[in-house]
Amino acid sequence: GDWSSDVCSSDLFISRSLCQYLASQNWRIVLISRTEHKLQTYATETANIYPSAPQVLTYTANASIPSSLLSALDWAASQLEGEVDVLCYNAAVVAASDLMSLTPEAFTADFQIAAIGVLIAGQWFSKHANKDHIPGGEYPLFLVTGGILDKNPMPSYSSLSATKAASQNLTQQFSQVLTREYSILVGQPLVV
């Protein structure tokens, strides 16, 4: 179509790059993050680089709280008249965490963001993906950042290694179910 839409939950630079690329193609974009400053920085940078692109909308939410994430996704869809073409889930805690000192509480909190968030986002997108362009060969897309930590875990990043492994496993499962049953493509950009 002439316009498209995207929802990015961002904590890493891949969301920033994707946001700027989609803005260069005149997509309507909603960024979701728990950090208001980061959201405003990305939105302002994008507007400065692509002044003729639609305004980047932002929403502050906490991906570790399912109700907060769902509210943010619902708000984003409402801003896009329910037409969500791409959902990029890129939330994770990227920080050193030694295996021998990682607490169950810290691991649980990180798991909520990286894995439970993917579960919520994938299930939500199955009900909100824009399928209007499928007859023209354009399918909705669910993107979840991948990596190599599932195959090469790092004990100095033990929480990230374990939670990203769970996230990637869920994404592979969504790839089977969403593609086959919902006509939604699933991708995992590789972050090394």
Side-chain angles (χ1 to χ4, degrees):
D2 294 332
W3 67 270
S4 298
S5 54
D6 176 59
V7 179
C8 294
S9 178
S10 64
D11 278 333
L12 298 173
F13 291 112
I14 194 165
S15 292
R16 179 185 194 187
S17 298
L18 180 60
C19 177
Q20 291 179 4
Y21 172 75
L22 294 173
S24 76
Q25 304 298 308
N26 290 316
W27 284 49
R28 294 178 18 189
I29 301 165
V30 176
L31 294 174
I32 300 168
S33 177
R34 68 176 177 255
T35 310
E36 178 69 26
H37 173 70
K38 186 182 298 183
L39 289 170
Q40 294 311 315
T41 299
Y42 288 2
T44 301
E45 286 176 354
T46 303
N48 289 338
I49 296 168
Y50 302 103
S52 63
Q55 177 186 6
V56 175
L57 302 176
T58 63
Y59 192 91
T60 304
N62 188 336
S64 70
I65 302 170
S67 61
S68 179
L69 179 56
L70 286 170
S71 292
L73 292 170
D74 287 342
W75 180 86
S78 74
Q79 299 305 299
L80 303 168
E81 293 86 38
E83 304 291 321
V84 180
D85 296 310
V86 176
L87 174 60
C88 175
Y89 191 87
N90 189 35
V93 175
V94 181
S97 58
D98 179 68
L99 177 62
M100 300 311 291
S101 60
L102 178 64
T103 66
E105 296 79 15
F107 180 68
T108 300
D110 293 352
F111 191 83
Q112 280 285 126
I113 295 169
I116 303 295
V118 168
L119 176 68
I120 291 166
Q123 290 173 343
W124 179 90
F125 196 48
S126 72
K127 300 175 189 94
H128 296 87
N130 179 13
K131 298 182 182 180
D132 294 346
H133 304 293
I134 291 176
E138 296 179 25
Y139 289 80
L141 176 62
F142 181 45
L143 288 174
V144 180
T145 52
I148 59 170
L149 292 174
D150 61 323
K151 294 173 185 57
N152 299 303
M154 298 174 59
S156 59
Y157 282 84
S158 61
S159 185
L160 182 63
S161 295
T163 60
K164 287 303 273 184
S167 170
Q168 289 175 264
N169 181 285
L170 286 168
T171 303
Q172 291 169 7
Q173 292 183 60
F174 276 127
S175 179
Q176 296 171 39
V177 175
L178 291 179
T179 302
R180 183 179 60 241
E181 297 177 24
Y182 295 89
S183 300
I184 297 172
L185 300 180
V186 178
Q188 262 188 316
L190 182 63
V191 179
V192 179

